[in-house]
């Protein structure tokens, strides 16, 4: 309110407080330093320049826009759309940095899912037992893996059962797997692939996943599996766990997020505003190319400018401010 920081920087304070891993902290610091705001302000200033040019011709209708000038204005709007697309491409990664990527741990009973969770967390979080069906409900914990916050969700063993409680656990696990950004499908390498293994391997073939062949400290009886990402581990000894962490970071982020480009990781509010700005700018560009009324072009441009301004608080409403600052815990 006193002009020290803008709205995007204020949101970065909340992100800083809630950051769970190195890259989350880096992204929040970059946004707090004004790196995202500088990009948004440049975009808004350029769009304001186009709007001013269009409105000048509305005020002086006798002076029609010259063809070369019209082409320049269209090019500036199209350049703005390209710039917004670049920011929007980082939306998914930005969401992962803020809330953590969900990794569902699936597999048959006694494949070693709970032991694997404990190894990834570095502590005994889940009960480990040789009795099949020990895990009936989901267990959720967050850990920093290679600088990324990852929410691990241990699920009930995948099998048919007459126990309604266990079957409800299986149903919940499958539902979580559908929503997760990553699946860790744990297989018991000391046994050949079962029909249930093959069934669920096929069921999640299109999901982003890692096949974790566990129990490699025992005699390996499982046949080789042809898949894009297979990692051999022992959740008893910890062998292969570091390789699994590397595979998770690579698969989740595909090298898109580094300390260098974390400065422009937008959140869901920014994404909504940019989507509205992009749609309005595209309409204005098409209208100008088709010699539509300049009043319509100006209307869409004003909508775009206002939407972009929402990100840094230049066109923020009281309801929007209340929503954002309700996320802060205000002391006495």
């Amino acid at each position: 309110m006193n002009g020290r920081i803008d709205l995007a920087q204020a949101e970065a304070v909340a992100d800083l407080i809630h950051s769970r891993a190195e890259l989350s902290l880096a992204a929040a610091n970059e946004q707090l330093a004004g790196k995202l705001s500088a990009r948004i302000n440049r975009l808004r200033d350029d769009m304001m320049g186009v709007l001013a040019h269009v409105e000048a011709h509305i005020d002086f209708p006798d002076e029609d826009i010259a063809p070369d000038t019209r082409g320049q204005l269209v090019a500036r709007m199209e350049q703005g759309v390209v710039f917004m697309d670049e920011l929007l491409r980082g939306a998914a990664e930005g969401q992962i940095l803020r809330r953590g990527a969900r990794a569902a741990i699936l597999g048959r009973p006694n494949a070693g899912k709970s032991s694997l969770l404990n190894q990834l967390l570095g502590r005994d979080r889940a009960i480990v037992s040789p009795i099949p069906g020990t895990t009936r409900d989901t267990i959720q914990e967050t850990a920093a893996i290679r600088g990324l916050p990852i929410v691990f969700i241990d699920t009930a063993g995948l099998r048919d059962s007459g126990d309604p409680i266990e079957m409800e656990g299986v149903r919940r696990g499958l539902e979580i797997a559908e929503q997760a950004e990553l699946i860790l499908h744990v297989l018991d390498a000391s046994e050949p692939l079962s029909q249930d293994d093959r069934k669920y391997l096929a069921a999640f073939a299109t999901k982003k996943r890692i096949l974790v062949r566990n129990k490699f400290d025992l005699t390996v009886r499982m046949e080789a599996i042809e898949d894009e990402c297979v990692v051999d581990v022992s959740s008893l000894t910890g062998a292969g766990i570091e390789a699994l962490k590397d595979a998770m970071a690579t698969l989740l982020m595909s090298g898109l997020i580094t300390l260098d480009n974390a400065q422009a990781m937008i959140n869901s509010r920014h994404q909504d505003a940019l989507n509205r700005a992009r749609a309005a700018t595209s309409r204005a560009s098409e209208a100008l190319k088709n010699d539509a009324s300049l009043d319509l072009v100006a209307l869409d441009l004003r909508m775009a400018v206002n939407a972009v301004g929402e990100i840094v608080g230049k066109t923020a409403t009281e309801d929007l401010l209340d929503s954002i600052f309700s996320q802060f815990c205000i002391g006495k």
Side-chain angles (χ1 to χ4, degrees):
M1 290 175 66
N2 291 323
R4 298 296 183 92
I5 58 176
D6 62 33
L7 194 54
Q9 289 173 290
E11 287 176 300
V13 176
D15 289 339
L16 197 66
I17 294 168
H18 297 296
S19 60
R20 303 179 180 184
E22 180 186 1
L23 285 175
S24 306
L25 184 65
N29 272 316
E30 292 292 313
Q31 189 172 324
L32 182 58
K35 300 293 180 66
L36 175 62
S37 300
R39 296 187 181 195
I40 294 299
N41 283 322
R42 284 199 303 271
L43 173 64
R44 184 175 181 272
D45 289 345
D46 194 53
M47 294 176 65
M48 283 284 285
V50 177
L51 175 59
H53 205 117
V54 171
E55 289 188 332
H57 282 276
I58 293 174
D59 292 337
F60 301 96
D62 293 337
E63 297 184 16
D64 192 19
I65 300 180
D68 59 335
T69 303
R70 186 183 297 270
Q72 291 172 9
L73 294 176
V74 168
R76 287 173 68 180
M77 285 188 274
E78 290 177 344
Q79 187 178 5
V81 169
V82 170
F83 187 80
M84 285 183 260
D85 284 340
E86 290 176 1
L87 289 172
L88 286 166
R89 275 195 288 272
E93 287 76 18
Q95 292 290 345
I96 287 175
L97 283 182
R98 287 176 174 89
R99 62 162 169 76
R102 292 162 298 183
I105 304 176
L106 301 181
R108 286 192 294 126
N110 275 9
K113 301 183 299 300
S114 297
S115 298
L116 179 65
L117 173 65
N118 291 340
Q119 280 285 356
L120 290 168
L121 296 177
R123 60 189 175 89
D124 290 337
R125 171 62 178 86
I127 296 174
V128 177
S129 167
I131 303 172
T134 302
T135 303
R136 295 192 170 197
D137 202 353
T138 57
I139 298 174
Q140 181 172 305
E141 285 290 337
T142 302
I145 303 296
R146 302 297 185 256
L148 298 172
I150 299 182
V151 182
F152 293 106
I153 309 168
D154 187 16
T155 63
L158 298 175
R159 69 172 177 179
D160 292 329
S161 171
D163 187 331
I165 297 176
E166 187 175 352
M167 288 310 298
E168 174 61 17
V170 172
R171 186 196 68 77
R172 291 186 184 187
L174 294 174
E175 187 177 271
I176 286 168
E178 288 292 341
Q179 300 168 355
E181 281 83 23
L182 176 68
I183 290 176
L184 301 181
H185 193 148
V186 184
L187 302 164
D188 185 346
S190 67
E191 298 179 4
L193 285 173
S194 69
Q195 284 299 110
D196 282 340
D197 287 330
R198 297 181 190 279
K199 172 184 173 182
Y200 291 110
L201 282 172
F204 294 105
T206 59
K207 290 283 291 184
K208 188 177 289 188
R209 70 179 180 184
I210 299 174
L211 302 186
V212 184
R213 298 206 303 172
N214 190 26
K215 303 187 182 180
F216 247 69
D217 52 308
L218 304 178
T219 301
V220 176
R221 294 188 174 89
M222 178 177 289
E223 57 269 44
I225 303 174
E226 291 187 7
D227 201 85
E228 291 184 2
C229 191
V230 182
V231 180
D232 296 332
V233 306
S234 168
S235 56
L236 178 64
T237 67
I241 296 298
E242 295 305 312
L244 176 58
K245 290 179 179 179
D246 290 337
M248 291 167 61
T250 300
L251 196 58
L252 276 171
M253 310 315 298
S254 302
L256 294 178
I257 290 187
T258 65
L259 289 173
D260 293 330
N261 64 13
Q263 59 185 270
M265 296 302 162
I266 62 176
N267 63 26
S268 57
R269 184 182 73 83
H270 306 156
Q271 182 182 17
D272 173 66
L274 284 171
N275 278 324
R276 286 185 281 116
R278 187 193 187 285
T281 305
S282 295
R283 289 195 304 267
S285 176
E286 287 301 312
L288 191 58
K289 282 191 286 188
N290 295 323
D291 292 327
S293 167
L294 291 182
D295 288 315
L296 295 177
V297 176
L299 177 63
D300 277 325
L301 279 174
R302 277 193 291 272
M303 291 173 62
V305 168
N306 287 337
V308 172
E310 286 178 17
I311 297 175
V312 289
K314 291 184 176 177
T315 51
T317 64
E318 187 174 341
D319 287 344
L320 174 61
L321 295 175
D322 287 343
S323 173
I324 290 171
F325 286 100
S326 67
Q327 302 173 46
F328 289 85
C329 178
I330 307 299
K332 290 184 179 179

